[in-house]
Amino acid sequence: MKKKVVTKVMAFSLAAVMASTALTGCTFGFASDPDDPNEVEEKEVIDTSIDTFQYDAGLEGTSITLLNSKAEIQNALEEMAAQFEEKSGVHIEVMPVTDGDSPYTKVVSLYNSGTPATMAILDTTDVIALAEEKALDLSSEPWIQEAEEYMTKVGGKVYSFPLCIEGRGIIYNKAVLEETLGKEFDPESITTLDDFKGILEELKEAGMERPISVAKEDWSLGAHQLQYIYETEDGTSPGAQAAIESIKDGTLDLKNYERLGQFLDMFDVLREYNVAKADPLGADYDEMAIDLADGKTAFWFNGNWAWPNLEEAGAEKEDAYGFLPYFLNNDTEDFVNSKIQASPSKQIMIDGQIATENEQAAAKEFLNWMVYSEIGQQMIVKSASIIPPFQNNPYEPKDPLSRNIYEKAHEGKTFNASAIVPNDHWAVLGAAMQKYLAGRSDREELTQSIEKYWAEQK
């Protein structure tokens, strides 16, 4: 989840009812510099002169609420709500989840008090936990056809609107690569793990001995990295869940699990060429952004939510940054070597218990407005600065990381898989990954740690 660099809060909820969370796409890295109080924020101009969206006049005067758990777009949502009200006559109150609070807990609290929000922006895990009991069935909504690959289904039905896409992989700085190697860099030419190792060796020979930054944080190691062993089972969320269940019940032997071995092959490459190899657990997250922007390194494993860190380090929106896949092997037919993991990290659920038919209709109209109106399409991208999952949206994100994910999604070069894991997965197994990163354990010990963790979840 992309966030303001200075908020220093985790923007991903922990769903208590399931004791689980899908950590793909979270933002946990923080830059240290405070906002400049004299800085003037540049705002994108929204063209409101064209609006062919058909509003339902019968909804005029309706008031609804939207619970927002994505703090960094609070202002943008309020602007969108105001614009929508001006056009439709429907008033939307955008209610922020207080920093540090669990969105799931907030939603449950509102239901317990009999005053749930008409709409709620939630993590996928929370939607899965609440959908069948609380949410309105949205399976017949027209926007599904614009983003079928990014739908989350519960019991075969769609209960949520995918608000944004976030993805992760190996970030590259194209200018640094070309300056160091003295030749043009074509990311499409890197299609296997051996190809990736080859360019690392080229960089080493050219004087960049350690071209990669590897974050030491347990959330990065235990969620963003390790969860590849589940999510690459077949590149789908159901496939990831099937892999997890097989590990839990012991039918999948991790010692012989191909994806685990492949993941560690790739991870070994990352740690071998890690700029902080001498002291990997002493690495500083902020410095990684500076190193990539300044050219000390050429690669950084992270997601598009890292752009604020890079921008504070001096990167410009016009710079050529992008993503390489997390290469697992040398099979050019294996999707993991050609696609980036990208999933809908936030979903909008409509209340199906308390809201009136009019309120539900108004909420549906707002969702459709974001997808089909010329104004809504602009504001999702330009005001909220998120990657829309809907193929019909013609607007591209401005920052290069989000733009690269956007382009790959539209080219079919992403896979949508989110592992639903217990909320201590990233902490417990992140610690095990830290030991492995530092060379204080081997593959056998790490594998045993993963087995032990899942055995305790039964």
Side-chain angles (χ1 to χ4, degrees), residues 238-307:
Q241 197 59 35
I244 289 171
E245 293 303 320
S246 296
I247 295 171
K248 284 172 64 175
D249 65 23
T251 58
L252 177 57
D253 181 4
L254 275 178
K255 295 181 183 65
N256 299 314
Y257 183 35
E258 188 175 45
R259 283 307 197 205
L260 176 57
Q262 293 174 345
F263 164 75
L264 291 175
D265 288 344
M266 174 61 170
F267 190 79
D268 285 351
V269 172
L270 297 183
R271 67 176 185 169
E272 172 63 28
Y273 292 89
N274 182 14
V275 69
K277 183 182 179 182
D279 183 19
L281 299 186
D284 181 84
Y285 190 91
D286 292 341
E287 288 183 7
M288 293 179 191
I290 296 170
D291 288 346
L292 187 65
D294 288 351
K296 183 177 180 179
T297 60
F299 300 106
W300 184 21
F301 172 78
N302 218 320
N304 62 291
W305 53 85
W307 178 249

Side-chain angles (χ1 to χ4, degrees), residues 5-22:
V5 180
V6 297
T7 54
K8 298 196 177 184
V9 296
M10 185 183 298
F12 208 91
S13 71
L14 302 177
V17 71
M18 295 180 67
S20 63
T21 184

Side-chain angles (χ1 to χ4, degrees), residues 342-363:
S343 302
S345 54
K346 286 290 185 180
Q347 313 257 349
I348 300 181
M349 186 183 84
I350 297 178
D351 169 46
Q353 278 196 334
I354 308 297
T356 66
E357 289 187 11
N358 232 38
E359 290 168 343
Q360 291 173 349

Side-chain angles (χ1 to χ4, degrees), residues 97-149:
V97 175
T98 305
D99 286 351
D101 285 350
S102 159
Y104 175 84
T105 302
K106 180 65 174 178
V107 169
V108 172
S109 174
L110 289 173
Y111 270 106
N112 289 341
S113 67
T115 58
T118 318
M119 297 179 285
I121 298 176
L122 299 170
D123 300 318
T124 301
T125 304
D126 297 341
V127 170
I128 293 172
L130 296 166
E132 292 183 300
E133 181 183 357
K134 308 291 189 185
L136 185 68
D137 184 358
L138 303 175
S139 300
S140 299
E141 290 303 291
W143 40 259
I144 290 176
Q145 65 184 353
E146 305 292 349
E148 289 190 71
E149 184 181 347

Side-chain angles (χ1 to χ4, degrees), residues 8-233:
K8 298 196 177 184
V9 296
M10 185 183 298
F12 208 91
S13 71
L14 302 177
V17 71
M18 295 180 67
S20 63
T21 184
L23 282 160
T24 300
C26 307
T27 301
F28 298 86
F30 311 114
S32 55
D33 295 334
D35 284 339
D36 181 352
N38 300 314
E39 184 178 358
V40 178
E41 182 181 355
E42 294 182 11
K43 284 201 171 186
E44 291 276 358
V45 176
I46 305 299
D47 180 5
T48 60
S49 63
I50 299 175
D51 184 18
T52 61
F53 188 76
Q54 299 298 306
Y55 299 92
D56 183 351
L59 297 175
E60 188 171 346
T62 305
S63 291
I64 57 177
T65 53
L66 170 62
L67 182 68
N68 174 35
S69 64
K70 193 168 175 61
E72 68 271 25
I73 65 170
Q74 177 69 22
N75 291 339
L77 286 174
E78 290 174 353
E79 292 170 6
M80 293 169 68
Q83 188 62 51
F84 180 68
E85 182 173 9
E86 182 179 325
K87 293 288 186 176
S88 68
V90 173
H91 176 72
I92 302 177
E93 178 189 355
V94 183
M95 306 184 304
V97 175
T98 305
D99 286 351
D101 285 350
S102 159
Y104 175 84
T105 302
K106 180 65 174 178
V107 169
V108 172
S109 174
L110 289 173
Y111 270 106
N112 289 341
S113 67
T115 58
T118 318
M119 297 179 285
I121 298 176
L122 299 170
D123 300 318
T124 301
T125 304
D126 297 341
V127 170
I128 293 172
L130 296 166
E132 292 183 300
E133 181 183 357
K134 308 291 189 185
L136 185 68
D137 184 358
L138 303 175
S139 300
S140 299
E141 290 303 291
W143 40 259
I144 290 176
Q145 65 184 353
E146 305 292 349
E148 289 190 71
E149 184 181 347
Y150 297 102
M151 290 300 114
T152 296
K153 293 187 177 182
V154 180
K157 296 180 180 179
V158 174
Y159 291 97
S160 57
F161 174 96
L163 179 62
C164 58
I165 296 173
E166 289 177 320
R168 69 194 197 274
I170 308 296
I171 300 174
Y172 63 82
N173 184 333
K174 189 171 187 287
V176 166
L177 283 160
E178 293 182 341
E179 182 178 348
T180 304
L181 297 175
K183 63 180 181 180
E184 183 178 355
F185 172 69
D186 177 13
E188 298 297 321
S189 68
I190 313 298
T191 61
T192 65
L193 180 56
D194 279 350
D195 288 344
F196 184 54
K197 288 191 286 187
I199 198 166
L200 294 174
E201 277 299 306
E202 288 184 53
L203 288 166
K204 184 176 181 179
E205 291 172 7
M208 188 184 290
E209 187 174 358
R210 308 289 180 198
I212 299 172
S213 287
V214 181
K216 71 174 187 299
E217 285 73 15
D218 53 6
W219 51 261
S220 180
L221 297 170
H224 294 166
Q225 294 227 39
L226 185 59
Q227 283 186 195
Y228 274 113
I229 70 173
Y230 319 126
E231 294 165 347
T232 59
E233 169 65 19

